[in-house]
Amino acid sequence: MSTTSESPQRNTRQRRAVAAIMADLEGFASAQQIHDILKQRGESVGLSTVYRNLQALADADLLDALRNDDGETLYRRCSSGHHHHLVCRVCGRTVEVEGPTVERWADAVAEDHGFRDVEHTLEIFGTCGDCAS
Amino acid sequence: MSTTSESPQRNTRQRRAVAAIMADLEGFASAQQIHDILKQRGESVGLSTVYRNLQALADADLLDALRNDDGETLYRRCSSGHHHHLVCRVCGRTVEVEGPTVERWADAVAEDHGFRDVEHTLEIFGTCGDCAS
DNA sequence: GACGGATTTGACAATCGTTCCCGGCAGTAG
DNA sequence: CTACTGCCGGGAACGATTGTCAAATCCGTC
Ligand SMILES: [Zn+2]
Ligand SMILES: [Zn+2]
Ligand SMILES: [Zn+2]
Ligand SMILES: [Zn+2]
């Protein structure tokens, strides 16, 4: 067994920079967008490093990740615990939503068909009020 | 406005071959897998053509498409109308499921937050009874 | 059945997000 | 301070998908 935090993690400037960006960011953003933001702020970080750190943060459940229609992986700081997202497809603004009913429904459906180890993905996309104007 | 069927579609051997494969196929499969199947059956079809025809079929709502974790797009012949999938992550067996409750919930949540033009994605993954043994 | 214009095909190059590699840099324990 | 080791960066590699464009194929028409 590995202890839950098997992390001889080092506190590097790059790691701090990425974490800082994600702490401020409101909606979902791609690795490349975050890389660009860092460059603009002068805290340049290598693209590979941005990818690595985002994945690490996501693995540690400090970020949520989802894929958009273009196949890009988007990241966002999120509350812990199981939830889903309502995302504006224009500006990226995101609302975390929970739906106990949905959770129960999904599990029930799966069980009815004899499936085990069930998990599900659910995202809602739309255009937010501001962007609709 | 384009009329719903703006399709001067030609009835080519390749188009028939792809459609035939999809008609038989039980689970979801990637464009490359379908390309391989065609090759095995001797009805060789160019990879680009397989991609094009699958997309065309999906656009015509004759196939459902979804992306797996590896970023590949998978296709499957499905009934028309809005529905979701319960997919075995081992053998790919797929069950189409409907959940009017979920649909209403998703739309309501989006509306509560002022979102328009709402759509959603929902897939359930698990291990089917046969594969669990 | 042959003809001609439009569509489709297919081999190959190009794209694009992401991952891999590896020499060099920089936290960190002692 | 020193040594150890993980981390960084940038450039090559990857893999799914899309674009290109001449050649092949359809299909309505003659
Ligand atoms: Zn918006
Ligand atoms: Zn859920
Ligand atoms: Zn199965
Ligand atoms: Zn639905």
Side-chain angles (χ1 to χ4, degrees), chain B residues 88 91 128 131:
Chain B
C88 173
C91 69
C128 75
C131 290

Side-chain angles (χ1 to χ4, degrees), chain A residues 88-93 126-132, chain B residues 115:
Chain A
C88 172
R89 65 169 70 85
V90 178
C91 68
R93 186 198 307 190
T127 307
C128 76
D130 293 351
C131 290
Chain B
F115 281 60

Side-chain angles (χ1 to χ4, degrees), chain A residues 4 7 12 14 28-29 32 38 43-44 53 59-60 69 103 133:
Chain A
T4 46
S7 39
T12 67
Q14 294 84 342
F28 279 90
Q32 315 220 35
L38 284 164
E43 303 202 79
S44 188
N53 283 332
D59 287 347
D69 286 334
E103 310 300 325
S133 330

Side-chain angles (χ1 to χ4, degrees), chain A residues 18-27 41 77:
Chain A
V18 171
I21 297 286
M22 297 314 291
D24 290 344
L25 204 58
E26 259 318 305
R41 292 203 190 176
R77 156 224 61 187

Side-chain angles (χ1 to χ4, degrees), chain A residues 115, chain B residues 87-94 126-132:
Chain A
F115 281 61
Chain B
V87 186
C88 173
R89 64 169 73 84
V90 177
C91 69
R93 187 201 305 192
T94 299
T127 307
C128 75
D130 292 350
C131 290

